[in-house]
Amino acid sequence: RDDLLRRALESVCRQSRPPGTVVVVDDTGSAATAGIVAGWKDGAGVRYVDGSGLAPKGASASRNLGAWSCDAAILAFLDDDDRWRPGFLAACVA
């Protein structure tokens, strides 16, 4: 799903209100996914978290790990197969 991840990250980086940090939780521990995050070009503060040891696995566990991995006052969640329109974060914060 790495192509989907790239597309999702691109939508985050196009926000009119840029995020402070982007946490990518990978519940498979994929080296390819870690490589995408490590080489991310847009300087959006993208960080990789290996969630392969989560039990049980699933979207809820991944989201909880992501929330625990950052200290932001505001959180927004995006799955790898989703995209945000450019004004999404600004509208949510407003």
Side-chain angles (χ1 to χ4, degrees):
R1 298 179 62 111
D2 292 329
D3 288 338
L4 294 174
L5 174 61
R6 282 185 191 92
R7 188 182 73 178
L9 287 173
E10 287 167 0
S11 79
V12 171
C13 292
R14 284 192 220 112
Q15 292 299 296
S16 60
R17 182 194 194 283
T21 303
V22 176
V23 176
V24 175
V25 177
D26 176 14
D27 65 3
T28 67
S30 165
T33 300
I36 289 169
V37 174
W40 195 251
K41 61 196 172 293
D42 292 322
V46 181
R47 198 164 29 117
Y48 177 83
V49 175
D50 183 348
S52 60
L54 291 172
K57 289 191 184 302
S60 297
S62 294
R63 288 183 180 122
N64 285 337
L65 180 58
W68 291 323
S69 299
C70 65
D71 59 0
I74 299 171
L75 299 175
F77 297 99
L78 175 72
D79 293 332
D80 61 359
D81 60 347
D82 293 330
R83 285 181 285 179
W84 288 340
R85 292 191 172 138
F88 176 76
L89 287 179
C92 288
V93 171

